[in-house]
Amino acid sequence: MTQHYRITLLPGDGIGPEIMAIAVEVMQVVGQQLDLSFEFQEALLGGAAIEATGEPLPAATVETCKNSDAVLLAAIGAPKYDTLPRHLRPETGLLGIRAALGLFANLRPAKILPQLIDASSLKREVVEGVDIMVVRELTGGIYFGQPRGVFATESGEQRGVNTMAYAESEIDRIGRVAFEAARKRNKRLCSVDKANVLEVSQLWRDRITALSADYPDVELSHMYVDNAAMQLVRNPRQFDTIVTGNLFGDILSDEAAMLTGSIGMLPSASLGATNPGLFEPVHGSAPDIAGQDKANPLAQVLSAAMMLRYGLDQLIAADRIEQAVMQVLDQGDRTGDIMSTGMTLLGCKAMGAALVKALANLA
């Protein structure tokens, strides 16, 4: 019996529509192979939404996303929007859709692919075998805390204020996601905070420590964020699963991503308790190459695989897409961002065609 899923697509800006088209094509092929039916519906987010409606997150987009089984996002933003007021910028739309869907947990893998190990800026002996999952709290912390803004003091001076705040319940729910993720991996969890100077981090550490009693099979450690940033470069293999707050997770997950050599290869998943999850590549919209058929669609395709795995529980379909990606890399197909001597340079569309062929070989 055919299983039917409604997928909301948010192509966004820059290279977004190009890489989204490849992901859709790949999903349609694997769907035909495994008797899965996908109903795709597009909605506006970011700059595309600003151009069409004057706001980065239209109410219609939120409604469409909520009425789907999963949401697949490409990329948003462009320099021309940087001068807009904060509430009208594309990034505000991204924060808004995460909040509207209650997506409090962001899973970002950083795994060294053996075919691309020499693309890393670090030595082979440092990064070989690295396989890290960063679990980032996504709807709390300093990005959402109140009060926030720029205020005039009594002396007339302007003072910028942002508030880092976490309630016990917010820490507990992201902690449980992280412990469960660690349990499915190598059963090691490192909680990253700044408990030596921040009260909110001390509460974070206390709650994560208390939660560990429910997961006796998971080895828990704690690390200050500045040391964690250093250790990710010095000895990244020591990490398996990392859990941390919104700001620290934003920074550390990008750092971990670059261990792999190309941020253009990495997917992510944002999950909540009830609403559909949102799945997206970690790279930006690359407006400098938009429309030139130069974009790397692999992170978008791998995000679709994460959507199948974590959002729709279609593990075989996810495995098949990931195997197709490995196959095209094994045969030396590369886009410009991961190109190396002796490999075959492909554009975005040609890489999509190579993936479709690889899927056919797996059937």
Side-chain angles (χ1 to χ4, degrees), residues 149-161:
V150 177
F151 307 97
T153 65
E154 291 183 1
S155 65
E157 183 181 26
Q158 295 290 296
R159 183 169 181 260
V161 175

Side-chain angles (χ1 to χ4, degrees), residues 2 37 48-49 56 65 74 81 91-92 101 106 127 133 143 148 200 203 206 216 219 276 294 311 321 332:
T2 301
S37 171
C65 289
Y81 302 115
E91 296 77 14
T92 301
L101 297 178
N106 183 229
V127 296
M133 177 68 78
Y143 291 165
R148 63 179 296 163
V200 63
L203 178 63
D206 291 345
E219 176 188 340
K294 294 180 178 179
I321 289 176

Side-chain angles (χ1 to χ4, degrees), residues 131-143:
D131 185 355
I132 301 169
M133 177 68 78
V134 179
V135 181
R136 167 191 171 191
E137 199 290 323
L138 204 58
T139 57
I142 200 166
Y143 291 165

Side-chain angles (χ1 to χ4, degrees), residues 182-257:
R183 181 173 270 174
K184 295 174 183 176
R185 291 169 53 84
N186 292 315
K187 296 183 172 59
R188 291 186 291 113
L189 178 63
C190 179
S191 178
V192 175
D193 56 43
K194 194 61 177 170
N196 55 338
V197 294
L198 297 176
E199 288 81 0
V200 63
S201 279
Q202 185 59 61
L203 178 63
W204 177 283
R205 182 171 291 211
D206 291 345
R207 293 308 307 164
I208 296 294
T209 300
L211 278 177
S212 67
D214 294 337
Y215 300 89
D217 55 325
V218 176
E219 176 188 340
L220 174 65
S221 61
H222 299 276
M223 191 175 290
Y224 296 141
V225 64
D226 45 351
N227 186 31
M230 179 183 70
Q231 294 295 333
L232 273 171
V233 177
R234 177 180 175 271
N235 180 23
R237 280 196 299 267
Q238 70 183 280
F239 297 104
D240 177 57
T241 307
I242 295 172
V243 63
T244 191
N246 210 340
L247 175 62
F248 299 157
D250 194 0
I251 297 166
L252 292 179
S253 57
D254 275 0
E255 183 185 8

Side-chain angles (χ1 to χ4, degrees), residues 114-354:
Q115 304 93 333
L116 301 178
I117 191 168
D118 291 326
S120 176
S121 56
L122 298 183
K123 296 178 180 178
R124 173 183 285 262
E125 56 266 31
V126 174
V127 296
E128 194 165 24
V130 165
D131 185 355
I132 301 169
M133 177 68 78
V134 179
V135 181
R136 167 191 171 191
E137 199 290 323
L138 204 58
T139 57
I142 200 166
Y143 291 165
F144 291 92
Q146 296 291 337
R148 63 179 296 163
V150 177
F151 307 97
T153 65
E154 291 183 1
S155 65
E157 183 181 26
Q158 295 290 296
R159 183 169 181 260
V161 175
N162 289 94
T163 302
M164 181 182 285
Y166 275 113
E168 288 180 319
S169 58
E170 292 176 302
I171 301 169
D172 287 357
R173 68 181 183 179
I174 191 64
R176 292 195 181 280
V177 170
F179 274 108
E180 293 291 344
R183 181 173 270 174
K184 295 174 183 176
R185 291 169 53 84
N186 292 315
K187 296 183 172 59
R188 291 186 291 113
L189 178 63
C190 179
S191 178
V192 175
D193 56 43
K194 194 61 177 170
N196 55 338
V197 294
L198 297 176
E199 288 81 0
V200 63
S201 279
Q202 185 59 61
L203 178 63
W204 177 283
R205 182 171 291 211
D206 291 345
R207 293 308 307 164
I208 296 294
T209 300
L211 278 177
S212 67
D214 294 337
Y215 300 89
D217 55 325
V218 176
E219 176 188 340
L220 174 65
S221 61
H222 299 276
M223 191 175 290
Y224 296 141
V225 64
D226 45 351
N227 186 31
M230 179 183 70
Q231 294 295 333
L232 273 171
V233 177
R234 177 180 175 271
N235 180 23
R237 280 196 299 267
Q238 70 183 280
F239 297 104
D240 177 57
T241 307
I242 295 172
V243 63
T244 191
N246 210 340
L247 175 62
F248 299 157
D250 194 0
I251 297 166
L252 292 179
S253 57
D254 275 0
E255 183 185 8
M258 284 313 299
L259 297 174
T260 67
S262 175
I263 202 168
M265 287 297 300
L266 300 176
S268 72
S270 299
L271 308 174
T274 56
N275 284 312
L278 184 148
F279 304 83
E280 60 179 310
V282 303
H283 61 67
S285 62
D288 56 318
I289 61 169
Q292 300 176 39
D293 195 34
K294 294 180 178 179
N296 182 351
L298 294 180
Q300 185 73 65
V301 170
L302 290 170
S303 295
M306 283 195 82
M307 179 180 71
L308 288 161
R309 184 179 306 281
Y310 293 101
L312 306 179
D313 200 30
Q314 290 293 339
L315 307 187
I316 295 175
D319 287 343
R320 187 164 291 194
I321 289 176
E322 291 166 356
Q323 290 167 11
V325 170
M326 294 297 284
Q327 187 175 122
V328 298
L329 293 175
D330 282 339
Q331 64 197 30
D333 292 336
R334 302 287 189 272
T335 48
D337 59 313
I338 55 174
M339 184 62 183
S340 59
T341 303
M343 302 293 106
T344 302
L345 179 63
L346 299 181
C348 183
K349 293 179 181 177
M351 182 61 82

Side-chain angles (χ1 to χ4, degrees), residues 6-8 41 61-72 97-98 100-105 269-279 307 310-312:
R6 180 182 295 149
I7 310 298
T8 295
Q41 50 190 359
T61 294
V62 175
E63 189 65 22
T64 299
C65 289
K66 286 184 175 180
N67 290 324
S68 62
D69 296 302
V71 181
L72 187 62
I97 192 63
R98 289 171 178 169
L101 297 178
L103 305 177
F104 65 87
S270 299
L271 308 174
T274 56
N275 284 312
L278 184 148
F279 304 83
M307 179 180 71
Y310 293 101
L312 306 179

